[in-house]
């Protein structure tokens, strides 16, 4: 049984700048104990880690860059005293405010960039007894400052539009024409990425068309250069088989929670997103079209 | 006790008694067996209610006016009235189930059933069980919501599913990507690890690993060959696993399982099985959808984080705005998870499965999601897969928005477009690979197209119909879709535009068999009468094509529908032509081919019989009889049943036409030959009834001799059926009576001889009946008829036969299954036989009582079962008989027959004999009363009742001397012993005693009164 637990009042544990976090600390013990006080602390930080692929195994162990603190709250919740047997609830509240000179950044869990806010409550016990501790993650969202306008884009994929195809291969590329439209390259994170695609003609049989959502994390500095890491965070098949060439097929991709955040461009690290449309032919040829997108937070 | 009491019969004047005991006659106004009893009762109830209402109103008014004193009086009155009314009410409730409303209900159901038969084209082959339709309809009526939404001919998914599962089976194997078990184990481990604390990085790492893993395993996975049974097991396993994991709270694995199940639907490795595959998997999907929905509903019962209290669960008709945020959040989480599924088909199916959860989030997000998914389905290139996917979409859309038509049209439109793929690679080669014809392949599409078209056409308007048709003409010539459209839109639209539609049918592609389209058109025609001017043109247009069909099965299945068409809308001439045409087609067939279409031929004939108002007309048609000759033996009995049934249907006039009688006789013979000793008793009874009804419908008028000949012939042919033989005897007897009445109760020599011939027929026929009780009764009945017809000798023989038979069977009665019941039948017979004996004259040489003597001789040897008061009852009956014999004039006679009162009037020996018999009988009766077991309450009761009966008999028919008075007193005391004696009977007895004239009666009456 957990002796100590945190219960936040807000069900989704998501807060914005300046909002007050309400909650209770629940102490539940089988027999009465005396203690040295309860402490509440909240830490928010940006942790960067260079990729093992780029730096090498050993380097990556040592080269973890010191996490950048953006939020730190620490105060005693309860003075030393005694707890009776059973359940005791201690209410708490604190403003969700970053450190001076720091900005609040959205919670994000990536591979090499990690932005997290963790709340810890520690019940210090007397003597050699182990302290009771409870942890809870708080999620931060940052509303946009500017208003964005959507940017629609029509596209057309033909053998001629392909880049980086070697001359040898060009003969093997089937004759095809695929058109479509992306509703917006600027994408609110809470809305799906939408558009449609239409196969106008294709000399080869299409096996599948897929939409790939790619995340690019890069960190480093101008001096040392950036380390770039791309991750496929979503891959959705939108066409299965040699589809009829008269019908518009919708593209509909949601941005997965936690693996996505608004595009971020700072000095030391960046998080960017791209959409790839992959056309897989049954003869194993793959055609890909890339669209960089900007993910934004909307109200 | 053993002192013998002499029985001295009282002389009675029956005429006087008749007058004295006459009850006042009143006309019967109400009886449950009267024709319009229900109506009368209902009218009465209504009147009663109205009256009561009026009374109430009056009361209320008066109550307002009058003061409290008068109120109480009125209340009493009204309560009395209410009581009366209550009686009426309870009566109503009793008679309700029989009331005509319930009858009409039944009728409607039957009509529905008939409708269904028409719609479902072939009840024998389509595999849809009419019973299930009925239950479906009942279910529909249960859920009022559905009932409102759907017309009765909307075939529900449940029914459709059953027909799919029974129709689409596979003999081959299905290849399934397996590796399933391992994966669950993996995920089990990982989920367990998930539970323990894991750092963020580890988690992401694991996810990345699993991502790459699945990519790899996709390639490694084993291909498994499965038979249909194994596949069923597999689906069952998935659904069971899903349930157990769900219970354990392992939602991730549950989701994986359902993804796997849904992915199966992309697998068309066994084409012929695909529709069933879909039906099975969609069941699992539905279950999953329900699970998720219930879970979110449960989530809506929130626990307040600060207080810990719970809120109430959501009501059934909740709207999204009262759903707590937590539940909405869970919805979003589910949707996110599902929208992230990589495979298109799984994503579509699972989102559709959990579509109802949009209800928690918003009012109309369903529509947005549905229209998106509807377009997403376009990404599924395989027309078959996409068609079923659309079926599922429409099913879900129907559940949520029964009135929305948008998706239905889109689905049909998209299908038509995507169908063009079918003629291209790789699908064409796939079809070739499975070695199925294009027609067979289209048949796989059929359930889904039927469903889609049904949804499109459901409550469709003429405008919509025309739009759909226009679009169809523009895009394609798909025969299956045309079939769907023609089969499911309002018959009125189809029939009125039929002449424009027929060219479309001719022009459509030949992938889907055209005969089914014509059949569907025919069915629509049966539902909706075409304009009179067009009936012939339609028939000609259709038949131009249909008569050229090469396959006889196809030809016949259309013919079956159009035979009905001609009967319904055209004259007999057209029906004849059509029958001839059918005949021509059949004639060409070899025996084997004929065997193949036996069901079709049979159903055509059956429909004709059912439809014709008079089957005899049909039977006289040469074409019809020729058709009947073609019916295979195994269907002959069924056909015979049909014919007999329709021949002797209620309201049919009896016939004397020898040709018809002969024709039906042949059918009856077939039916008779179909049963044997091993047949089920119900079947035998059924057949017997059918034949009996037929026999009752034969009537030669004055040609009685012909009729007798007919009966002789019938006896030869139906010798195996007891009930029929018994009926034949009765027929012969009524024939004798008929002649008797024709000659106005005075036989001439000729008619007398004929009546005797009838009786002789009976005499010969009765012994061949197996059931001895029936035989016994028939002997006695025949004896009576013989007496009436003045044939003493025959009557005598019948009665003697009866006594002999009685002897025979009384001795073997212990071998009977239910001896007591059998005994009571025998006793009943003897009682009625006793009253018959009143008029039977004695034998000139053997004496007046020779029959009775014979019977007594038999009775001596019979041992009745314990506790049966058979002896008492029989003796009572005969004591009554002897009391009558002692009278100067018997209460009833047969005209022209001199009974014993005339024959033995004033004959001393006769009286003495009578006296001795009576005394003996009285003694035996008293003995049996005394011997009755009076230890138990029941024994006492029966003893008391018996005593009371005897007491009555004495009062009525014995001279009331002192001896008798003592006896009566004794009997009275026995009667007193039991409290449960028949009190009404007792009271009435006392009453009649008080009315008797004579000092002694009065004395007795007073004594009893005092005693009381």
């Amino acid at each position: 049984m957990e002796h100590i637990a945190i219960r936040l009042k807000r069900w989704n544990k998501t807060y914005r700048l300046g909002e007050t976090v309400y909650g209770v600390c629940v102490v539940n013990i089988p027999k009465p104990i005396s203690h040295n006080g309860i402490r509440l602390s909240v830490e928010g930080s940006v942790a960067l880690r260079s990729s093992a692929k780029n730096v090498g195994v050993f380097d990556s162990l040592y080269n973890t860059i010191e996490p950048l603190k953006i939020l730190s709250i620490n105060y005693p919740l309860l003075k030393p005293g005694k707890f009776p047997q059973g359940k005791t609830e201690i209410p708490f509240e604190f403003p969700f405010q970053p450190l001076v000179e720091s900005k609040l950044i959205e919670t994000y869990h990536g591979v090499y960039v990690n932005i997290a806010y963790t709340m810890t409550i520690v019940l210090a016990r007397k003597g050699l007894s182990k302290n009771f501790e409870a942890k809870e993650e708080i999620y931060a969202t940052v509303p946009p400052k500017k208003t964005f306008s959507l940017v629609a884009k029509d596209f057309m994929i033909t053998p001629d539009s392909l880049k980086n195809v070697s001359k040898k291969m060009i003969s093997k590329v089937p004759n095809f024409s695929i058109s479509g439209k992306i509703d917006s390259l600027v994408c609110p994170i809470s809305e799906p990425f939408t558009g449609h695609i239409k196969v106008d003609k294709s000399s080869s049989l299409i096996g599948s068309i897929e939409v790939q959502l790619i995340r690019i994390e890069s960190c480093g500095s101008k001096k040392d250069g950036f380390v770039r890491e791309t991750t496929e965070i979503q891959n959705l098949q939108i066409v299965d088989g040699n589809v009829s060439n008269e019908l518009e097929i919708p593209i509909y991709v949601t941005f997965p929670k936690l693996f996505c955040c608004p595009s971020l461009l700072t000095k030391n690290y960046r998080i960017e997103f791209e959409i790839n449309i992959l056309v897989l032919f049954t003869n194993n040829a793959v055609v890909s079209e890339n669209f960089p997108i900007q993910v934004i937070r909307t109200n | 006790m053993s002192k013998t009491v002499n029985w001295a019969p009282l002389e009675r004047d029956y005429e006087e008694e008749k007058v004295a005991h006459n009850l006042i006659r009143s006309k019967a106004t109400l009886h449950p067996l009267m024709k319009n009893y229900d109506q009368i009762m209902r009218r009465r109830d209504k009147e009663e209610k109205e009256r009561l209402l009026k009374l109430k109103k009056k009361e209320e008014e008066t109550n307002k006016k009058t003061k409290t004193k008068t109120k109480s009086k009125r209340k009493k009155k009204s309560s009395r009235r209410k009581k009366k009314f209550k009686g009426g009410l309870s009566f109503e409730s009793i008679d309700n189930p029989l009331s005509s409303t319930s009858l009409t209900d039944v009728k409607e159901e039957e009509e529905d059933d008939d409708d269904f038969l028409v719609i479902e084209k072939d009840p024998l082959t389509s595999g849809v069980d009419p019973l299930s339709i009925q239950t479906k309809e009942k279910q529909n009526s249960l859920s009022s919501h559905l009932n409102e939404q759907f017309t009765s001919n909307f075939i529900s998914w449940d029914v459709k599913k059953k027909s799919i599962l029974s129709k689409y089976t596979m003999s081959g194997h299905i290849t399934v990507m397996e590796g399933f078990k391992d994966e669950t184990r993996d995920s089990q481990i990982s989920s367990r690890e998930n539970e323990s604390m894991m750092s963020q990085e580890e988690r992401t790492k694991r996810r990345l690993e699993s991502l790459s893993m699945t990519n790899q395993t996709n390639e490694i996975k084993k291909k498994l060959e499965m038979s249909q049974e194994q596949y069923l097991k597999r689906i069952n396993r998935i659904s069971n696993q899903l349930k157990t994991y769900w219970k354990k709270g392992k939602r991730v694995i549950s989701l994986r399982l359902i993804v796997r199940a849904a992915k199966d639907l992309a697998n068309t490795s066994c084409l012929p099985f695909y529709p069933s595959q879909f039906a099975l998997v969609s069941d699992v999907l539905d279950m999953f959808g329900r699970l998720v929905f219930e879970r979110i509903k449960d989530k809506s019962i929130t626990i307040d984080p600060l207080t810990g209290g719970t809120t109430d669960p959501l009501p059934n008709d909740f709207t999204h705005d009262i759903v707590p945020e937590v539940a909405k959040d869970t919805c979003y989480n589910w949707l996110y998870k599902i929208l992230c599924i990589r495979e298109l088909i799984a994503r579509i199916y699972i989102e559709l499965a959990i579509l109802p959860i949009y209800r928690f989030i918003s009012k109309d997000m369903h529509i947005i999601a549905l229209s998106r998914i509807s377009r997403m389905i376009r990404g599924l290139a395989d027309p078959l897969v996409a068609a079923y996917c659309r079926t599922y979409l429409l099913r879900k859309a129907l559940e949520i928005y029964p009135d929305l038509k948008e998706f239905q049209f889109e689905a049909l439109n998209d299908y038509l477009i995507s169908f063009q793929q079918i003629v291209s690679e790789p699908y064409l080669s796939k079809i070739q690979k499975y070695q199925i014809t294009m027609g067979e392949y289209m048949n796989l599409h059929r359930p889904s197209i039927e469903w889609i078209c049904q949804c499109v056409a459901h409550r469709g308007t003429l405008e919509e119909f025309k739009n759909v048709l226009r679009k169809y003409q523009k895009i394609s010539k798909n025969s299956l879709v045309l079939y769907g459209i023609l089969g499911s839109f309002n018959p009125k639209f189809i029939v009125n535009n039929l002449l424009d539609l027929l060219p479309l049918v001719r022009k459509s592609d030949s992938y889907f068999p055209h005969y089914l389209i014509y059949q569907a058109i025919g069915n629509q025609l049966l539902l909706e009468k075409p304009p009179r001017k067009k009936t012939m043109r339609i028939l000609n247009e259709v038949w131009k094509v249909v008569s050229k069909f090469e396959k006889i099965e196809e030809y016949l299945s259309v013919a079956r529908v159009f035979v009905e068409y001609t009967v319904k809308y055209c004259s007999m001439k057209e029906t004849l032509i059509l029958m001839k045409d059918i005949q021509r087609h059949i004639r060409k067939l070899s025996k084997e081919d004929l065997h193949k279409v036996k069901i079709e031929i049979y159903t055509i004939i059956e429909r004709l019989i059912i439809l014709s108002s008079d089957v005899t007309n049909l039977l006289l048609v040469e074409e019809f009889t020729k058709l009947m000759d073609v019916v295979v033996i195994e269907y002959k009995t069924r056909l015979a049943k049909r014919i007999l049934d329709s021949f002797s249907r209620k309201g049919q006039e009896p016939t004397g036409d020898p040709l018809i009688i002969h024709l039906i006789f042949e059918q009856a013979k077939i039916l008779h030959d179909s049963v044997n000793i091993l047949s089920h008793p119900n079947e035998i009874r059924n057949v017997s009834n059918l034949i009996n009804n037929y026999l009752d419908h034969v009537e030669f008028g004055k040609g009685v001799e012909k009729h007798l000949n007919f009966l002789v012939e019938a006896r030869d042919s139906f010798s195996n059926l007891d009930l029929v033989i018994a009926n034949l005897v009765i027929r012969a007897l009524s024939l004798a009576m008929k002649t008797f009445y024709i000659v106005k109760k005075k036989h001439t020599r000729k008619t007398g001889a004929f009546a005797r011939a009838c009786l002789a027929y009976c005499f010969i026929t009765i012994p061949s009946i197996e059931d001895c009780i029936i035989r016994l009764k028939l002997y006695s009945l025949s004896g009576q008829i013989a007496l009436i017809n003045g044939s003493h000798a025959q009557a005598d023989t019948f009665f003697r036969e009866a006594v002999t038979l009685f002897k025979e069977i009384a001795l073997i009665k212990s071998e009977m299954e239910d001896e007591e019941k059998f005994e009571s039948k025998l006793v009943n017979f003897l009682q009625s036989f006793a009253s018959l004996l009143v008029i039977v004259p004695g034998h000139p040489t053997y004496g007046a009582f020779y029959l009775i003597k014979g019977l007594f001789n038999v009775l001596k040897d019979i041992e009745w079962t314990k506790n049966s008061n058979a002896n008492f009852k029989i003796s009572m009956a005969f004591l009554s008989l002897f009391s009558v014999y002692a009278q100067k004039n018997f209460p009833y006679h047969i005209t022209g027959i001199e009974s014993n009162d005339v024959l033995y009037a004033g004959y001393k020996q006769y009286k003495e004999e009578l006296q001795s018999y009576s005394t003996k009988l009285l003694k035996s009766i008293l003995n049996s009363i005394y011997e009755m077991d009076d230890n138990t309450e029941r024994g006492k009761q029966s003893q008391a009742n018996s005593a009371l009966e005897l007491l009555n008999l004495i009062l009525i028919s014995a001279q009331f001397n002192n001896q008798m008075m003592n006896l009566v007193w004794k009997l009275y005391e026995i009667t007193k012993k039991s409290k449960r004696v028949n009190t009404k009977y007792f009271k009435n007895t006392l009453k009649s005693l008080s009315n008797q004239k004579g000092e002694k009666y009065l004395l007795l009456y007073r004594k009893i009164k005092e005693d009381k």
Side-chain angles (χ1 to χ4, degrees), chain B residues 286-317:
Chain B
D286 285 345
M287 187 188 78
F288 179 75
R290 277 195 301 277
L291 287 175
V292 174
F293 188 87
E294 285 307 315
R295 176 174 155 72
I296 291 168
K297 214 175 161 193
D298 288 346
K299 271 257 168 180
S300 306
I301 308 169
T302 46
I303 301 166
D304 195 304
L306 297 176
T307 60
T310 56
T311 57
D312 292 335
L314 288 175
N316 276 336
D317 55 343

Side-chain angles (χ1 to χ4, degrees), chain B residues 476-625:
Chain B
S476 94
K477 286 181 177 167
N478 187 318
S479 43
L480 174 60
V481 174
L482 190 63
Y483 158 78
I485 293 172
L486 294 184
S488 34
F489 261 101
N490 187 335
K492 214 178 244 168
F493 307 157
I494 310 289
V495 171
N496 287 338
N497 298 301
L498 197 57
L499 289 174
D500 302 328
L501 293 171
L502 287 173
L504 276 185
V505 181
R506 280 199 294 273
K507 270 189 271 171
S508 65
D509 61 34
S510 56
Y511 296 147
F512 186 71
H514 278 205
Y515 80 95
L516 286 172
I517 305 180
Y518 284 107
Q519 205 183 42
I521 290 175
N523 284 324
Q524 295 281 41
L525 278 168
L526 294 182
L527 291 176
E528 177 70 32
K529 192 179 157 75
R532 180 161 289 174
K533 286 180 203 161
K534 291 184 185 168
T535 40
M536 282 314 296
R537 249 187 90 195
I538 290 172
L539 187 64
N540 282 333
E541 290 273 315
V542 171
W543 223 248
K544 240 192 287 175
V545 184
V546 174
S547 65
K548 283 176 196 146
F549 280 171
E550 275 173 12
K551 281 189 186 156
I552 187 73
E553 294 98 327
E554 298 184 354
Y555 171 81
L556 283 176
S557 52
V558 184
R560 178 163 53 81
V561 184
F562 275 88
V563 159
E564 273 186 57
Y565 175 86
T566 54
V567 172
K568 253 182 146 170
Y569 305 129
C570 306
S571 63
M572 192 67 186
K573 196 179 130 205
E574 278 76 36
T575 318
L576 284 181
I577 295 173
L578 194 56
M579 279 199 268
K580 254 185 200 160
D581 196 53
I582 296 171
Q583 187 70 34
R584 210 189 67 221
H585 276 80
I586 295 175
R587 213 181 300 143
K588 290 185 273 184
L589 296 178
S590 67
K591 258 202 173 165
E592 281 163 29
D593 287 337
L594 200 62
H595 206 71
K596 271 187 214 156
V597 293
K598 57 188 178 182
I599 297 169
E600 276 86 355
I601 296 175
Y602 170 71
T603 33
I604 287 176
I605 296 170
E606 195 187 34
R607 291 310 294 171
L608 273 170
I609 294 170
I610 291 172
L611 284 169
S612 66
S613 52
D614 189 357
V615 73
T616 50
N617 284 347
L618 267 183
L619 285 174
L620 292 176
V621 173
E622 193 189 350
E623 280 78 11
F624 183 75
T625 41

Side-chain angles (χ1 to χ4, degrees), chain A residues 7 235 237 240 242 248, chain B residues 305 342 344 347 378-379 421:
Chain A
R7 273 207 217 134
N235 185 345
Q237 184 191 35
D240 182 16
N242 193 26
E248 280 181 357
Chain B
R342 205 192 91 87
L344 178 66
R347 202 168 349 120
R378 295 170 177 176
Q421 286 297 104

Side-chain angles (χ1 to χ4, degrees), chain A residues 33-45:
Chain A
I33 54 160
S34 54
H35 62 91
N36 283 342
I38 295 182
R39 228 179 157 71
L40 184 151
S41 61
V42 188
E43 292 259 318
S45 61

